[in-house]
Amino acid sequence: MIWQGLLKHYKSYLPVTENTPELTLHEGNTPLIHFPNLSEELGIELYGKVEGINPTGSFKDRGMVMAVAKAAEEGSKSVICASTGNTSASAAAYAAKAGLKAIIVIPKGKIALGKLAQAMMYGAEIVEIDGNFDEALKIVRKLSETSPITLVNSVNPYRLEGQKTAAFEVCEQLGQAPDILAIPVGNAGNISAYWKGFVEYHEKKQTGLPKMFGFEAEGAAAIVEDRVFTEPETVATAIRIGNPASWELALKARDESGGQIHSVSDEEILHAQQLLARKEGIFAEPGSCASIAGLIQQCKNGSIEKGSKVAAVLTGNGLKDPQTAIDQVKVDPVSLPNDEQAVRDYVEDRVKA
Ligand code: F0G
């Protein structure tokens, strides 16, 4: 069967009516890949849900297709969001396809290069503020209450509806829910959406429920420390958020599932990013790798049982943030003359090494 996108495939699970436009960029249906090398290192059975394969390179497309379709259905002409980058890229793409205007409000200088390029190419109106994501979100929330413009941040309930489909797919791909679902936490929408998805699918198909393990960045660990971070900071700009909008829903997901939420340092995140690329051939953006970093941490301290079946959500594509990758690896290409022998000598030497 040819994949026709989330709104068609999961129609009966979503608020799709006969008036909902058939919007799609063929989002969803992303691979769940077994990671044999990391599994062995950690003593667990590890899989990665590779959301960077989505049309704009992140899981946001699942929620955005639903939110933008509903905005169009309701007659809205424009959508607005605050973003650390991925939401804005996705909103811009789906608005372009649906023929709506997209306005995005972003923290100046804190958006990874690829994400900014996406928003520009898809034709969004881009507003930068000298403030962080939380401040941008506050502004657009207020604005959308008084202006005829639809807010498509994850406080829009249609976003979580679309995003819950990832949990359905994980259950289908494994034949049941994993023991543990590991996921990065920023604004806390996605952990809430996955939990909703697991619960709904279990009710319909008895697929079981995982423990939800969420991971925040140490410099933006509001839920872990139970306080707002007024100046959140982390190399993982996607999750540089100090006052998560879905805070309560994340606590609910954690507690109902018997899960945990912890924080990981920038060093742990970057180490996990490289490990994932070098051991499993998957290049995920830093924010995504909070899930892998957290698993390494929790396997080491013994809070994850050996042999557990674990799915880690890799939320965004590594190509979105090439600068952070280049800065940490610091590998300079070897420069040689345009000469067959010189290249041969070098390569043969390396093959032996
Ligand atoms: N991973 C990536 C790559 C993200 O872009 C985000 C959030 C998260 C994880 C965290 O998900 O907010 O649902 O807990 N990015 C948002 C944005 C905030 O604006 O793109 P969350």
Side-chain angles (χ1 to χ4, degrees):
M1 194 181 65
I2 294 171
W3 181 256
Q4 291 184 299
L6 289 176
L7 300 193
K8 271 224 166 115
H9 192 81
Y10 288 114
K11 188 172 178 196
S12 62
Y13 292 86
L14 295 171
V16 172
T17 71
E18 56 200 28
N19 298 322
T20 311
E22 289 187 356
L23 183 63
T24 190
L25 290 169
H26 290 210
E27 60 293 318
N29 195 23
T30 58
L32 185 76
I33 300 181
H34 182 227
F35 292 159
N37 302 319
L38 289 184
S39 290
E40 196 183 321
E41 261 189 55
L42 299 176
I44 56 176
E45 187 183 334
L46 180 62
Y47 299 83
K49 182 70 172 154
V50 186
E51 290 290 276
I53 303 284
N54 274 300
T56 78
S58 87
F59 72 96
K60 302 289 179 180
D61 295 342
R62 294 179 183 274
M64 206 52 76
V65 68
M66 189 76 251
V68 173
K70 292 307 273 187
E73 180 179 341
E74 287 157 11
S76 184
K77 297 280 178 267
S78 349
V79 296
I80 192 166
C81 66
S83 183
T84 58
N86 282 324
T87 298
S88 53
S90 187
Y94 283 90
K97 179 101 190 203
L100 305 184
K101 178 178 279 192
I103 302 161
I104 68 173
V105 184
I106 55 177
K108 197 171 182 172
K110 295 291 181 181
I111 303 293
L113 195 63
K115 303 175 189 180
L116 198 56
Q118 287 180 293
M120 288 173 170
M121 279 305 287
Y122 295 132
E125 306 238 352
I126 305 173
V127 178
E128 295 182 329
I129 63 163
D130 278 319
N132 60 37
F133 169 84
D134 305 283
E135 291 156 335
L137 181 59
K138 204 167 159 189
I139 293 170
V140 297
R141 280 179 93 154
K142 277 216 177 128
L143 211 154
S144 68
E145 281 166 18
T146 51
S147 304
I149 179 163
T150 306
L151 182 66
V152 292
N153 279 106
S154 56
V155 291
N156 176 329
Y158 295 128
R159 279 279 310 280
L160 300 197
E161 287 297 313
Q163 283 172 217
K164 77 184 179 188
T165 59
F168 300 169
E169 290 178 14
V170 170
C171 292
E172 289 294 332
Q173 288 163 322
L174 286 176
Q176 62 185 84
D179 300 320
I180 290 173
L181 192 282
I183 187 167
V185 175
N187 210 26
N190 211 26
I191 190 173
S192 311
Y194 265 85
W195 181 239
K196 188 174 198 295
F198 282 121
V199 170
E200 282 182 20
Y201 222 55
H202 179 58
E203 278 167 8
K204 282 244 163 94
K205 305 204 170 199
Q206 289 74 53
T207 36
L209 295 169
K211 290 191 168 73
M212 302 293 288
F213 275 57
F215 299 102
E216 296 186 302
E218 206 170 79
I223 297 173
V224 173
E225 296 195 15
D226 195 24
R227 67 180 172 94
V228 170
F229 279 55
T230 48
E231 287 177 29
E233 208 45 84
T234 167
V235 69
T237 51
I239 53 171
R240 185 176 170 271
I241 294 172
N243 189 11
S246 297
W247 194 320
E248 291 303 321
L249 285 177
L251 292 179
K252 187 168 165 271
R254 181 193 68 185
D255 297 341
E256 286 182 5
S257 74
Q260 306 180 18
I261 298 181
H262 298 287
S263 64
V264 286
S265 67
D266 282 2
E267 206 184 336
E268 288 175 298
I269 289 172
L270 294 178
H271 170 71
Q273 188 188 23
Q274 256 193 68
L275 199 67
L276 183 64
R278 292 178 180 211
K279 297 273 182 190
E280 301 293 352
I282 299 291
F283 184 21
E285 69 166 286
S288 302
C289 297
S291 60
I292 300 293
L295 283 176
I296 295 171
Q297 184 195 74
Q298 295 304 308
C299 283
K300 270 194 189 146
N301 74 14
S303 78
I304 293 178
E305 235 177 90
K306 293 274 173 214
S308 297
K309 192 181 278 193
V310 181
V313 185
L314 300 169
T315 45
N317 197 306
L319 291 171
K320 284 173 171 275
D321 191 357
Q323 198 57 54
T324 302
I326 288 169
D327 288 348
Q328 66 166 305
V329 180
K330 297 191 184 76
V331 179
D332 281 327
V334 175
S335 202
L336 294 174
N338 174 13
D339 173 72
E340 187 184 324
Q341 194 57 45
V343 176
R344 176 187 295 275
D345 288 347
Y346 177 78
V347 171
E348 288 181 348
D349 188 52
R350 293 312 300 159
V351 169
K352 275 187 239 141

